[in-house]
Amino acid sequence: MKHLLFSIFVSAASLVMAQDWDESLNTAKDVMTISENEREVIFEINKLRSDPSRYAREVVKPRLAKFHSDGKVYTNSQGVFIRTSEGKTAVMECIQALEATSPMQPLYYDSRLYDAAKSHGIDMRDNNFFEHDSSDGTQFYERLQKFGFNGHCAENLAAGNDAPEEIILQLIIDDGVPSRGHRTNLLTPDFNIVGAAIIEHPQWRHSCTMDLGEIEKEKEITIPTTNAGTSK
């Protein structure tokens, strides 16, 4: 009888752990002008922002088990071996940081931010580079202004994978980036809009350009503060 009760309790706990994320977080699900993966990137960001501690437990922590014996190389969801700079240390630091982060508002799709992100992804593809400035030297916030957005904003770049969960893991673990600037951008409470464009890349297979903004403070200007996951 004790064994049966224990099994019931374990099964109940497993059901709680396996519960789906609130579908209301899938704020771009009806935006048919972007790809399914691009919609899922926004959903993934909103999972992270809505419950950072749960995201750490259910999404980030399993990454630890994917590291090889040297603690530096892991196998991603597509079976590719990835060599890291910090190894498991960065993953554990990420988990601790998310556990200490309060929930925040979700992000909503913004066509201006998306168009700016997509144009940059195409530029990086056509000119085979990977950085925030455009091939003509235009900085990211100047690019956003050209597409009609002028306000508090930030940009993240991810490379190599087009799987939404892998993109977000790359940005929040921020391996080799001491400032953890990409994670900071994703977890800036004031941001409420986003555009994320996934484009093929000749060197890195794929790039994801992610522009985030705060619509309430549009027209205000602030000074850029970071280079890794740059913001303005």
Side-chain angles (χ1 to χ4, degrees):
M1 178 61 71
K2 289 183 178 180
H3 177 72
L4 177 59
L5 289 174
F6 177 75
S7 298
I8 293 172
F9 290 145
V10 170
S11 297
S14 299
L15 286 173
V16 171
M17 288 295 292
Q19 65 182 335
D20 291 335
W21 291 84
D22 189 338
E23 186 62 23
S24 68
L25 299 172
N26 193 3
T27 56
K29 66 180 180 179
D30 296 324
V31 182
M32 295 295 107
T33 54
I34 62 178
S35 73
E36 181 179 356
N37 274 10
E38 290 166 339
R39 292 193 293 271
E40 287 295 322
V41 165
I42 297 175
F43 192 11
E44 206 66 31
I45 295 172
N46 288 338
K47 293 176 189 178
L48 167 71
R49 288 170 65 93
S50 71
D51 195 339
S53 182
R54 178 184 173 186
Y55 202 85
R57 181 176 66 252
E58 296 184 10
V59 182
V60 184
K61 190 173 181 179
R63 170 56 52 86
L64 292 171
K66 296 183 179 181
F67 276 87
H68 302 182
S69 58
D70 68 353
K72 293 286 188 179
V73 176
Y74 71 90
T75 304
N76 69 15
S77 61
Q78 296 179 326
V80 178
F81 287 9
I82 306 294
R83 178 166 293 280
T84 66
S85 297
E86 301 174 68
K88 289 184 175 182
T89 301
V91 180
M92 292 187 289
E93 185 273 333
C94 177
I95 292 170
Q96 293 174 349
L98 294 184
E99 288 175 342
T101 301
S102 300
M104 61 197 73
Q105 65 181 333
L107 302 182
Y108 292 84
Y109 168 81
D110 184 273
S111 60
R112 298 166 299 176
L113 298 185
Y114 176 78
D115 290 345
K118 183 177 180 179
S119 74
H120 190 55
I122 292 172
D123 185 19
M124 290 193 293
R125 178 197 67 194
D126 292 349
N127 294 287
N128 195 14
F129 72 101
F130 185 77
E131 58 184 66
H132 290 285
D133 289 354
S134 301
S135 59
D136 64 1
T138 300
Q139 297 185 58
F140 90 95
Y141 58 90
E142 295 173 321
R143 186 187 322 121
L144 266 58
Q145 289 171 352
K146 289 181 179 180
F147 282 88
F149 182 84
N150 187 0
H152 183 203
C153 54
E155 180 171 273
N156 284 344
L157 298 179
N161 206 307
D162 64 343
E165 186 177 287
E166 291 287 345
I167 290 171
I168 302 307
L169 280 170
Q170 179 183 145
L171 293 171
I172 61 174
I173 294 173
D174 237 0
D175 176 72
V177 182
S179 70
R180 309 302 194 213
H182 301 98
R183 182 197 304 160
T184 298
N185 286 340
L186 284 171
L187 296 175
T188 296
D190 291 344
F191 288 145
N192 51 25
I193 54 175
V194 64
I198 301 172
I199 304 292
E200 291 184 354
H201 193 279
Q203 181 178 357
W204 300 108
R205 296 195 304 154
H206 298 92
S207 73
C208 177
T209 303
M210 183 184 297
D211 289 320
L212 308 98
E214 182 181 5
I215 199 167
E216 288 88 349
K217 289 190 176 180
E218 193 175 348
K219 304 303 181 185
E220 293 186 6
I221 299 295
T222 55
I223 298 172
T225 56
T226 65
N227 292 317
T230 190
S231 65
K232 179 178 184 295

